[in-house]
Amino acid sequence: MSEPELLLYRSNLLGSDLRVTNFGGGNTSAKVKMRDHLSGEDVDVLWVKGSGGDLGSIKLDGFSTLYMDKLQALKKRYRGLAHEDEMVDYLPHCTFNLNPRAASIDTPLHAYIPKAHVDHMHPDAIIAIAACADSRRLTEVIFGGQLGWLPWQRPGYDLGLKLEALATSQPKLKGIILEGHGLFTWGDTAKSCYEITLEMIRLAEQWLAENIKQPVFGGVKTLTLPPEQRAALAARLMPALRGRISAGERKLGDFNDSAAVLEFVASNDLAKLAALGTSCPDHFLRTKIRPLVLDFDPAQPDVDKLLAGLDRQLSDYRADYTAYYERCKRANSPAVRDANPVIYLIPGVGMLSFAKDKATARIAGEFYINAINVMRGANGVDTYVGLPEQEAFDIEYWLLEEAKLQRMPKPKSLAGRVALVTGGAGGIGQAVARQLLQEGACVMLTDIDAGALEEAKQALIKVGGKDCVASVQGDITSEAQVEALLSATSLRFGGLDILVSNAGIASAAPLEDTTLEIWNRNQNILVTGYFLVSRGAFRLMKQQKIGGSMVFVASKNGLVASAGASAYCTAKAAEIHLARCIALEGAAIGVRVNVVNPDAVIRGSRIWDGKWKEERAASNKIEADNIEEFYRQRSMLKLSVLPEDIAEAVYFMASDKSGKSTGNVLNVDAGNAAAFTR
Ligand SMILES: [Zn+2]
């Protein structure tokens, strides 16, 4: 491997282990001799992880490359600590090889350490030591002079110079612990650097394991509820919480009841430690400086009381946050941001996290677990200290962080929305789910066919990613299964904004041959099923209090009677009427209900696969293979209707683009005069 390849290899190894560094946290570098394109001579180039990205999955293009001689020359430009932020603007001028990857604000921390290879990691075990009141002495005790120590300082140009000074004055050091932050290590080769990083983390882990006082977190205070009860409580709580914190922008939720979380939320020290706030800057940028501990006693689990207390607890938290902003703000600070908590701790139950998208919510939860691990270690061997409030504020509202936020792309039209699609394994269901995902929504799919559902889910994960796609197999005609489906949606994403009721069947038979079984089957799936799912969604949306949109995928046959299909046509008519009735009741709570009427969507359809195709062909006196052409010629526009066409109409009705439409029917049938609405 070349030196850059070795750097990449080591970075991926380090970044893939959460004990070594958290998601997106830490950076690595190598100083490499490379041929300069201008002079043709060998020059020293710093390869360092660029701005953004995660070490575990970084590729070579994730590193920025800078001329070392230009970085050294920058020292002459440095005007002192009060001006260190201006140094960031010089970094692009040091770029080697026109590399478009922006250099991160940690670049000076790597550039000036006089070693070829440098790792900067955020290992929980090291931060635990770095966040102890007595961290300097403990560093000496544990590492016996192998690691130096620097007091807390915001990462930036000045800290880069301090690292250089310490590493130069004490050439025996293998690295440095930064108080309240993390670890720097270095080596002459990629391999030795990697090994030193692991060795230092191992020493810290081992020392903590031998020295942590038992019981941790001051011992157990409350019981921990069994798993089903924890999940049920979280599923009830999440939509109520989500509605209350989504006024500015809609948030998505994540529930975590891993062992590390449960140990903390059942402990005596929960309230005391949570109030101290997190330590490593990476942690609180993701989790806010402190979480909200909800008033809940698992010994007397009263969910109604918990829900009744939410408004007061949230308004107290927001008032505290606003007061923190007012206390700490500087003349040029960015405006106050969303004052709601990100992390919610529930004694005996677990942790909820909410953010503008699902991955961010999940990762925020993982970061708080890092913070729990740090507090567990630090408090077990000494006294845990969070970051001083003003320091935390200066990082949270750092103008350079604000600039990063401003560079983020504009959110998609359905960002922060949760959609439930029934009949999700079918052609129309999948096309709808695909479009909603592409527009930024998270999607819960359901279908009665478990195999087809799994296939659809895997295909959709390729479109929307693992975080945003979930599925639950179920039968929409079962009241219990529908309730379970809605609970699972709340638990997975935090609530519900969009219901696409699409599960369907079709049947054809002359009236006198229509058995009671055929009749009931149509009624059960197309009427009762739609009723059950929409009633459940309605209750959930009402609890959330942020409105919602329901779209029924009905049929032209709900408007136009068709000979030889009375059971199907009647059920489809009832479905459309049900949508109109719900539209009436939904208006008061901001829930819109609209109908999309497809006609003859044959491609990808599971309904048209079997008997229905034969039946329609027979009743129209044509060959089954000619049916697509037959319907095309029958339409006014002489066009086939495809699943994507239905998906486009469903998306319109689901999104704010149709925000002033409810009780409507939108035909997507290539033109059928008999279906004109009036
Ligand atoms: Zn760091």
Side-chain angles (χ1 to χ4, degrees):
M1 286 186 191
S2 67
E3 283 296 342
E5 285 165 348
L6 282 169
L7 170 66
L8 175 67
Y9 177 62
R10 144 176 147 236
S11 305
N12 290 159
L13 283 179
L14 292 168
S16 58
D17 189 336
L18 286 176
R19 291 170 300 178
V20 174
T21 203
N22 47 19
F23 177 87
N27 27 59
T28 49
S29 69
K31 299 175 184 86
V32 182
K33 274 235 182 308
M34 302 194 82
R35 182 65 46 88
D36 184 29
H37 294 271
L38 284 177
S39 66
E41 284 166 16
D42 281 352
V43 291
D44 289 319
V45 176
L46 175 70
W47 283 69
V48 59
K49 186 191 132 187
S51 189
D54 175 58
L55 282 176
S57 56
I58 195 173
K59 306 231 163 38
L60 270 180
D61 68 2
F63 291 90
S64 53
T65 48
L66 304 99
Y67 286 100
M68 274 303 296
D69 58 346
K70 293 194 182 191
L71 287 168
Q72 290 294 352
L74 279 187
K75 287 179 182 167
K76 293 200 279 282
R77 288 290 196 159
Y78 184 47
R79 299 197 290 147
L81 192 56
H83 307 279
E84 71 166 351
D85 284 2
E86 73 187 18
M87 300 307 284
V88 172
D89 292 335
Y90 289 119
L91 293 176
H93 295 281
C94 304
T95 303
F96 172 81
N97 199 19
L98 306 175
N99 184 347
R101 173 66 58 185
S104 93
I105 48 185
D106 280 0
T107 301
L109 310 184
H110 290 258
Y112 300 135
I113 290 174
K115 287 284 176 180
H117 299 268
V118 177
D119 288 338
H120 167 48
M121 299 291 133
H122 295 156
D124 291 346
I126 297 276
I127 304 176
I129 292 154
C132 284
D134 206 9
S135 121
R136 179 171 209 161
R137 193 185 61 81
L138 289 177
T139 300
E140 186 59 36
V141 169
I142 300 166
F143 302 99
Q146 296 184 89
L147 294 183
W149 183 91
L150 279 174
W152 161 258
Q153 180 174 350
R154 195 175 69 176
Y157 196 81
D158 201 77
L159 185 59
L161 297 179
K162 290 215 168 78
L163 282 163
E164 178 187 30
L166 195 58
T168 310
S169 66
Q170 298 186 47
K172 288 218 173 75
L173 289 181
K174 294 178 175 171
I176 286 170
I177 284 193
L178 298 180
E179 185 188 22
H181 181 166
L183 175 70
F184 270 87
T185 37
W186 46 74
D188 295 323
T189 65
K191 188 166 186 228
S192 70
C193 186
Y194 172 76
E195 286 171 346
I196 289 167
T197 301
L198 292 195
E199 174 63 7
M200 296 304 130
I201 297 170
R202 197 189 60 76
L203 278 175
E205 282 175 349
Q206 190 184 330
W207 189 86
L208 286 173
E210 286 163 5
N211 288 278
I212 286 181
K213 293 188 295 276
Q214 297 293 340
V216 293
F217 297 134
V220 177
K221 180 183 178 184
T222 60
L223 64 93
T224 294
L225 295 177
E228 322 77 64
Q229 247 179 297
R230 300 200 295 265
L233 186 133
R236 267 197 75 188
L237 177 59
M238 288 173 84
L241 213 40
R242 179 172 185 250
R244 286 168 166 85
I245 59 169
S246 290
E249 62 176 359
R250 278 177 204 237
K251 310 237 171 44
L252 294 176
D254 190 70
F255 173 58
N256 190 313
D257 60 350
S258 58
V261 170
L262 290 176
E263 181 184 57
F264 183 56
V265 299
S267 74
N268 276 311
D269 287 350
L270 168 64
K272 190 183 80 186
L273 285 176
L276 290 180
T278 57
S279 175
C280 177
D282 247 25
H283 295 177
F284 68 74
L285 276 176
R286 297 280 191 161
T287 64
K288 276 218 169 88
I289 185 158
R290 56 182 63 91
L292 173 60
V293 181
L294 293 172
D295 284 333
F296 181 72
D297 179 3
Q300 285 150 333
D302 185 344
V303 185
D304 292 324
K305 194 174 146 216
L306 171 64
L307 295 176
L310 281 185
D311 283 325
R312 182 191 51 77
Q313 282 211 276
L314 285 168
S315 70
D316 287 354
Y317 186 98
R318 288 191 282 254
D320 274 355
Y321 184 83
T322 311
Y324 148 78
Y325 176 84
E326 291 299 331
R327 265 197 312 279
C328 299
K329 73 173 177 197
R330 298 178 187 270
N332 60 351
S333 288
V336 65
R337 303 202 187 104
D338 182 30
N340 289 300
V342 174
I343 304 290
Y344 303 78
L345 302 174
I346 318 153
V349 176
M351 167 175 69
L352 301 174
S353 48
F354 280 90
K356 64 181 170 44
D357 61 61
K358 176 67 187 180
T360 308
R362 173 180 58 75
I363 291 166
E366 289 172 7
F367 270 82
Y368 200 74
I369 294 176
N370 290 125
I372 291 173
N373 291 338
V374 166
M375 291 186 281
R376 189 180 191 277
N379 233 40
V381 297
D382 190 35
T383 303
Y384 168 79
V385 268
L387 267 190
E389 181 179 83
Q390 186 67 51
E391 288 296 326
F393 178 88
D394 286 346
I395 288 196
E396 190 176 349
Y397 284 89
W398 199 354
L399 291 174
L400 297 175
E401 280 294 335
E402 175 74 6
K404 224 175 179 178
L405 292 177
Q406 298 300 336
R407 282 199 299 268
M408 304 265 267
K410 199 172 156 273
K412 293 180 180 170
S413 66
L414 295 181
R417 310 287 166 113
V418 181
L420 168 61
V421 181
T422 71
I428 292 177
Q430 270 196 66
V432 166
R434 178 170 290 114
Q435 177 138 7
L436 298 181
L437 284 167
Q438 283 165 344
E439 300 293 344
C442 286
V443 174
M444 171 63 87
L445 291 177
T446 188
D447 205 287
I448 197 162
D449 181 339
L453 180 64
E454 184 56 28
E455 249 174 65
K457 180 171 121 180
Q458 293 309 327
L460 290 166
I461 283 175
K462 294 199 180 92
V463 179
K466 257 198 171 113
D467 278 308
C468 294
V469 184
S471 69
V472 171
Q473 187 271 340
D475 178 354
I476 56 160
T477 68
S478 153
E479 188 169 20
Q481 289 185 37
V482 168
E483 292 310 311
L485 168 66
L486 288 157
S487 278
T489 308
S490 291
L491 187 65
R492 174 64 194 252
F493 296 118
L496 182 68
D497 306 289
I498 296 164
L499 166 66
V500 181
S501 221
N502 164 68
I505 50 153
S507 70
L511 179 64
E512 52 194 321
D513 298 337
T514 300
T515 61
L516 181 59
E517 196 218 331
I518 292 177
W519 177 266
N520 282 343
R521 195 168 135 73
N522 279 278
Q523 289 291 317
N524 280 342
I525 295 172
L526 301 177
V527 186
T528 309
Y530 276 54
F531 154 70
L532 286 174
V533 175
S534 54
R535 186 187 64 177
F538 189 95
R539 286 173 176 162
L540 191 47
M541 289 170 178
K542 188 171 178 183
Q543 195 197 0
Q544 269 185 148
K545 298 192 187 126
I546 45 175
S549 176
M550 299 189 194
V551 186
F552 281 25
V553 178
S555 166
K556 176 210 74 182
N557 291 98
L559 299 173
V560 185
S562 177
S566 55
Y568 177 71
C569 294
T570 308
K572 280 293 178 185
E575 197 185 300
I576 294 174
H577 212 62
L578 173 63
R580 290 165 166 162
C581 292
I582 304 171
L584 278 177
E585 291 190 42
I589 56 166
V591 172
R592 301 183 297 110
V593 189
N594 292 288
V595 173
V596 170
N597 268 347
D599 187 32
V601 180
I602 294 160
R603 203 169 302 169
S605 167
R606 292 152 58 76
I607 293 173
W608 283 88
D609 263 359
K611 231 169 123 221
W612 171 252
K613 193 173 182 177
E614 309 286 330
E615 287 164 354
R616 292 326 288 160
S619 102
N620 288 300
K621 302 187 175 51
I622 51 165
E623 293 290 315
D625 287 347
N626 295 335
I627 203 137
E628 203 168 343
E629 180 60 21
F630 170 78
Y631 279 107
R632 182 158 50 237
Q633 290 311 325
R634 201 184 66 173
S635 74
M636 289 162 57
L637 296 170
K638 310 290 177 211
L639 292 169
S640 291
V641 184
L642 304 176
E644 295 74 40
D645 302 320
I646 309 304
E648 190 68 46
V650 169
Y651 162 61
F652 173 72
M653 285 307 192
S655 74
D656 293 345
K657 289 174 193 289
S658 63
K660 295 178 185 173
S661 292
T662 191
N664 272 320
V665 175
L666 176 52
N667 289 328
V668 186
D669 55 7
N672 183 316
F676 287 2
T677 51
R678 60 187 67 82

